[in-house]
């Protein structure tokens, strides 16, 4: 099975399960509250929604990883031709979900915030949301099956990593974006973007290596 076909299969499974709805609804609800009034100048306003997309994307990464039970996922891996393809498809689907979340978060204040948004600012905001979202997807994958098998420890790991990132993660892609947006300086965007993509690759590699253990 080709990776793109596998992405479509996993996407249908996620949509059918409706487990994507809680993170999506939370995302939209918080954005609605965040931008119900004057959220400040454009880039500064995006800092709040970038902080939001990180845990929401982590949640979505968990959803993608756990929609199928372990037996179903093992069958999918055999049908697809190996855990490497499953890991790649999982990462790609997480990225697609991140794009959707980033588009919503980037466009929302353009119509609700009274400050002007130029195309350049919108582009920078979208890129910053992608960086934070991809980092979240990587966290979600690394904290789910087959890396962490049990639901309780998986949830605790996601919450702990997200909390520690906000507290001490100035050197992380998320920290770089939040700091850059707060200071209206996104010179670190290319490095942060590369680091976020690398984290997703590492997470996919962990799924590939640990998948055959039966998680």
């Amino acid at each position: 099975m080709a990776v793109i076909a596998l992405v479509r299969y996993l996407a249908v499974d996620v949509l059918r399960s409706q487990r994507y709805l809680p993170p999506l609804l939370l995302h939209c609800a918080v954005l609605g509250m965040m931008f119900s009034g004057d959220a400040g100048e454009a880039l500064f306003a995006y800092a709040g929604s970038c902080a939001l997309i990180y845990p929401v994307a982590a949640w979505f990464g968990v959803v993608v990883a756990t929609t199928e039970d372990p037996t179903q996922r093992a069958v999918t891996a055999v049908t697809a031709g190996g855990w490497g393809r499953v890991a790649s498809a999982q990462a790609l689907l997480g990225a697609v979900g991140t794009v959707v979340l980033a588009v919503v978060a980037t466009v929302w204040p353009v119509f609700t915030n009274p400050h002007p948004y130029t195309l350049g600012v919108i582009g920078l905001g979208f890129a910053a949301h992608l960086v934070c979202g991809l980092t979240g997807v990587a966290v979600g994958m690394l904290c789910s099956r087959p890396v962490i098998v049990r639901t309780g420890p998986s949830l605790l790991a996601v919450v702990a990593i997200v909390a520690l990132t906000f507290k001490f993660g100035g050197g992380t892609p998320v920290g770089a974006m939040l700091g850059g947006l707060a200071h209206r300086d996104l010179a670190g965007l290319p490095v942060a973007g590369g680091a976020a993509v690398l984290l997703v690759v590492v997470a996919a590699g962990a799924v590939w290596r640990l998948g055959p253990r039966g998680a």
Side-chain angles (χ1 to χ4, degrees), residues 37-126:
D38 187 348
E41 295 180 8
L43 282 181
F44 180 80
Y46 278 144
S49 50
C50 279
L52 170 66
I53 198 175
Y54 172 48
V56 170
W59 188 353
F60 183 71
V62 172
V63 168
V64 173
T66 59
T67 297
E68 292 184 307
D69 63 38
T71 302
Q72 289 176 315
R73 184 52 59 92
V75 171
T76 299
V78 172
T79 305
W83 277 95
R85 291 187 177 183
V86 171
S88 298
Q90 185 175 316
L92 287 172
L93 181 55
V96 171
T98 297
V99 169
V100 173
L101 294 172
V103 168
V104 173
T106 304
V107 172
W108 195 303
V110 174
F111 298 101
T112 60
N113 201 24
H115 296 273
Y117 283 74
T118 65
L119 287 177
V121 166
I122 293 172
L124 286 173
F126 178 69

Side-chain angles (χ1 to χ4, degrees), residues 95-201:
V96 171
T98 297
V99 169
V100 173
L101 294 172
V103 168
V104 173
T106 304
V107 172
W108 195 303
V110 174
F111 298 101
T112 60
N113 201 24
H115 296 273
Y117 283 74
T118 65
L119 287 177
V121 166
I122 293 172
L124 286 173
F126 178 69
H129 283 96
L130 280 183
V131 170
C132 295
L134 289 175
T135 304
V137 167
V139 170
M141 292 175 66
L142 286 170
C143 294
S144 304
R145 296 193 305 257
V147 182
I148 300 178
V149 178
R150 298 179 62 185
T151 302
S154 174
L155 176 61
L156 288 174
V158 171
V159 172
I161 291 174
V162 169
L164 288 172
T165 300
F166 286 137
K167 182 67 175 178
F168 304 109
T172 65
V174 174
M177 290 300 91
L178 296 183
L181 289 167
H183 294 92
R184 287 81 164 176
D185 180 10
L186 289 177
L189 179 60
V191 174
V197 172
L198 180 60
L199 284 173
V200 174
V201 172

